[in-house]
Amino acid sequence: MPFLAADIGGTHARVALMRASHDEAGGVETLAYRVFACAAFSALSELVRAFVDADIRGPVSHCVLACAGQVVGDEVVNDNLPWPIHLAQLRQALELDEVAVLNDFEALAYALDGPLATHGRHLCGPDTRSRGTTLVIGPGTGLGAAAHIPSPAGGFVLATEAGQMDFAPHTVREREVLAHLAPDGGYVPFEHIVSGPGLLTIYRSLCALRGRTPTLRTPEAVSAAAVAGEDLQAEHAVEMFCASLGSFAGNLAMTFMATGGVYLAGGFLSSLFDLLRRSAFAERFLHGRSARTLLTQVPVWVTEHGQHGVQGAARWYLRHGLSESSRYIAEGGVSA
């Protein structure tokens, strides 16, 4: 039976019609797929309805939803989505029997059981893939991360809120930016530095610290100016972003002993790949002497987000979605 799979980010939503694959145990087949701009819709139900009306010819009664944040009661709580997600409203508006929910990077990590594991451009570390815990990390509208742990019965995944960890500066420039953002001290999460909005925050902070008027208005404009070498503050912002991403990824690689490697996901990073390779990412990833022995054995790749989120969500749903332990809302009742 075909079902809907949606991967909802702060900027884009990827929606697909999926079904179980006949060619691969636990595999999935994509029947239809579209990418939508979230800001073009006033609610998630309106966005998914646009996909259903355009691409689905028959009835569909089940949906799996991958999105940032946590399910609290009937709501998916997240600071980066353009509108609130209320699961009962979504189910009723689309006349669905069930809506299953998981974290968006949890879904990406489940995609490592599929094509994601063989995709990506090598950034640093060994250019080989080995068995072991693997991380998926993605700076986009926010900063997400999840760990995939292999097992004989199929890998399982640990979702995280690692992007909310405290940012720790390493350089004088990073200390200056942190002091500008929190002049009286206090909590500044990694997500406020290592994300698309974080890149813009760094750029604006550097302009303020150097007495310059910021002329670039979006993260895309900052990254494009840095790639073209057109704006010194943009170049410095991207350098700080890449180095901080290296520290963040190395922290998680140590925490999870990620000998299977690290996948940095998202088109945002792909556009910065050459600058990322020339940056301090690799050195910051390796950390100090005691950690370096482990981390030099951890390969890092940069991969496109693409359809991997909906594919991972579909894989999770086929494995877990109908079990008693699933997180879903069905027939008006909620379980988590």
Side-chain angles (χ1 to χ4, degrees):
M1 178 72 70
F3 59 93
L4 293 170
D7 177 17
I8 311 301
T11 304
H12 295 101
R14 297 165 173 87
V15 189
L17 183 66
M18 313 289 288
R19 69 181 175 192
S21 172
H22 298 295
D23 300 326
E24 174 193 356
V28 294
E29 180 183 357
T30 304
L31 303 177
Y33 173 80
R34 282 182 187 257
V35 180
F36 298 91
C38 292
F41 299 89
S42 61
L44 178 59
S45 57
E46 180 184 321
L47 185 154
V48 178
R49 170 60 65 188
F51 173 78
V52 170
D53 290 345
D55 291 284
I56 297 180
R57 302 293 180 264
V60 60
S61 58
H62 293 75
C63 175
V64 56
L65 186 67
C67 55
Q70 302 295 327
V71 178
V72 179
D74 175 58
E75 184 178 358
V76 179
V77 178
N78 180 270
D79 293 332
N80 295 319
L81 297 177
W83 12 249
I85 296 178
H86 295 284
L87 301 175
Q89 187 274 334
L90 178 66
R91 182 185 64 82
Q92 293 164 4
L94 296 172
E95 300 179 337
L96 298 168
D97 292 337
E98 177 183 77
V99 177
V101 183
L102 75 162
N103 178 268
D104 57 343
F105 271 82
E106 189 179 4
L108 271 179
Y110 273 106
L112 287 168
D113 289 327
L116 178 57
T118 58
H119 282 64
R121 288 186 284 178
H122 179 251
L123 180 61
C124 61
D127 192 10
T128 56
R129 289 173 168 83
S130 60
R131 190 166 178 81
T133 299
T134 305
L135 297 175
V136 180
I137 296 170
T141 307
L143 177 59
H148 179 280
I149 301 167
S151 70
F156 64 95
V157 169
L158 296 176
T160 80
E161 287 291 345
Q164 304 308 314
M165 296 189 304
D166 289 85
F167 171 71
H170 283 236
T171 67
V172 172
R173 181 181 294 156
E174 290 172 9
R175 292 189 184 102
E176 290 176 341
V177 170
L178 182 60
H180 177 76
L181 295 177
D184 298 320
Y187 167 61
V188 176
F190 258 103
E191 184 176 79
H192 285 187
I193 302 294
V194 184
S195 64
L199 176 60
L200 189 60
T201 294
I202 299 170
Y203 167 74
R204 288 172 172 169
S205 297
L206 290 175
C207 287
L209 290 166
R210 304 297 182 257
R212 306 291 179 84
T213 300
T215 58
L216 306 172
R217 306 301 180 193
T218 65
E220 294 79 8
V222 175
S223 58
V227 169
E230 296 174 346
D231 187 301
L232 183 61
Q233 305 313 318
E235 293 179 53
H236 288 169
V238 169
E239 289 169 4
M240 179 175 163
F241 169 90
C242 292
S244 300
L245 175 60
S247 293
F248 178 79
N251 285 341
L252 290 190
M254 285 189 291
T255 300
F256 287 99
M257 302 288 285
T259 55
V262 175
Y263 288 82
L264 304 176
F268 172 60
L269 289 181
S270 294
S271 68
L272 294 176
F273 183 81
D274 290 337
L275 292 180
L276 190 61
R277 174 171 277 176
R278 296 196 300 267
S279 75
F281 174 93
E283 183 59 31
R284 292 276 287 269
F285 178 81
L286 293 176
H287 283 65
R289 185 180 64 182
S290 60
R292 189 173 293 252
T293 301
L294 166 68
L295 295 175
T296 53
Q297 304 303 311
V298 177
V300 181
W301 292 276
V302 175
T303 184
E304 295 282 355
H305 191 124
Q307 297 187 34
H308 296 306
V310 293
Q311 290 173 348
R315 285 176 177 272
W316 173 86
Y317 184 63
L318 290 174
R319 190 188 303 182
H320 303 293
L322 297 175
S323 71
E324 292 182 359
S325 63
S326 67
R327 290 151 287 183
Y328 69 97
I329 178 166
E331 298 179 351
V334 176
S335 72

